[in-house]
Amino acid sequence: MIAADRAPASREVTSGAGLLPLVRLLQLASPALPVGAYTYSQGLEWAVESGTVRTEADAAAWIGDLLEWNLARFEAPLMACQLGAWTAADDGEVARLNEDFLASRETAELRAETVQMGWSMAKLLAELDAFAALPGWRARLLAVDTPCFPTAWSAAAAAWQVAPEQAVAAYLWAWTENQVMAAVKAVPLGQSAGQRLLATLGAGIPPLAQLALHLPEARWSNYTPGLAIASSRHETQYTRLFRS
């Protein structure tokens, strides 16, 4: 009976081998990824301190605007192009986009954030057997000068053969989840409010992922002055929970 019960499960495991890229993607999008994302609020903490974000609705508006006008129109398209460049072995393009992203960080905190997370991600990937087993990937990633977070993250997604559409959606989701959890702590909001925010904001991610995938570089834009102001003000904020 026991052997008979186990047979169907064995067949299910075999037929699910193609799910490995999805499993790897879940790993990349997990808040357990040891890159320190939870320590950053990207100016949200100052928005709370200043009274701009006081309620669940305020948090939804703040995070939703940044998701649509910053992430989906600059960071996510850039990451998607890096994903393609990694796959095509165009390391020059990867480096160019990495430099562009570093130059786009408006404040010292935002630049320090992506540099620290990029370094942590690159270090993690260099130590993972699942990543190092792919010829050339470790050396290519470590050859990038000051890799930012999208650069290291896209390298992993490319190495693990994650579909671009899924990679972009997961990247947007991971950022959104981190922002919501920052709001839960800083406003503060309850856990149920956090889940409502994720449900509402998550519903908008599929069309934003499509936008990011098809937006030509000439139309990329991270013009969000509210974020730049909040981040710069946060640098001198007296009491802080977050590093940005």
Side-chain angles (χ1 to χ4, degrees):
M1 285 295 291
I2 294 177
D5 289 342
R6 287 180 176 175
S10 176
R11 287 195 295 271
E12 288 175 8
V13 170
T14 301
S15 64
L19 291 175
L20 184 57
L22 174 59
V23 173
R24 297 300 190 201
L25 181 60
L26 293 173
Q27 183 178 359
L28 285 175
S30 170
L33 199 69
V35 295
Y38 69 94
T39 66
Y40 298 102
S41 80
Q42 297 195 350
L44 176 60
E45 186 174 28
W46 182 84
V48 173
E49 178 74 12
S50 68
T52 302
V53 175
R54 297 180 179 178
T55 66
E56 180 181 337
D58 293 340
W62 178 271
I63 298 170
D65 282 352
L66 288 179
L67 181 63
E68 179 175 357
W69 298 104
N70 186 295
L71 268 289
R73 285 175 164 79
F74 185 76
E75 189 167 336
L78 183 143
M79 189 281 296
C81 284
Q82 286 188 310
L83 177 61
W86 282 118
T87 303
D90 189 350
D91 293 1
E93 180 70 355
V94 170
R96 180 186 74 84
L97 292 168
N98 185 75
E99 291 174 1
D100 284 355
F101 189 76
L102 289 174
S104 75
R105 302 300 83 191
E106 299 97 331
T107 67
E109 282 190 350
L110 291 177
R111 189 183 192 281
E113 174 182 347
T114 197
V115 169
Q116 180 272 303
M117 290 177 61
W119 181 88
S120 297
M121 187 74 181
K123 182 176 183 294
L124 171 67
L125 295 175
E127 295 171 352
L128 290 179
D129 291 340
F131 188 76
L134 297 168
W137 283 89
R138 175 185 286 180
R140 292 174 63 196
L141 176 58
L142 295 181
V144 178
D145 183 28
T146 317
C148 61
F149 184 62
T151 302
W153 199 95
S154 62
W160 289 336
Q161 300 180 346
V162 176
E165 184 177 53
Q166 295 179 353
V168 171
Y171 192 86
L172 293 174
W173 169 263
W175 178 88
T176 303
E177 184 176 32
N178 189 68
Q179 284 285 286
V180 167
M181 294 314 298
V184 167
K185 296 174 185 177
V187 173
L189 301 172
Q191 295 296 321
S192 294
Q195 290 302 309
R196 286 194 297 269
L197 284 171
L198 287 173
T200 299
L201 295 166
I205 286 179
L208 291 177
Q210 288 297 316
L211 171 65
L213 282 167
H214 297 103
L215 193 67
E217 186 172 353
R219 293 180 57 196
W220 292 359
S221 173
N222 68 333
Y223 181 67
T224 46
L227 170 61
I229 293 170
S231 178
S232 62
R233 292 291 184 87
H234 185 269
E235 291 178 356
T236 57
Q237 188 171 318
Y238 181 66
T239 57
R240 299 186 295 179
L241 291 173
F242 298 93
R243 297 169 67 182
S244 74

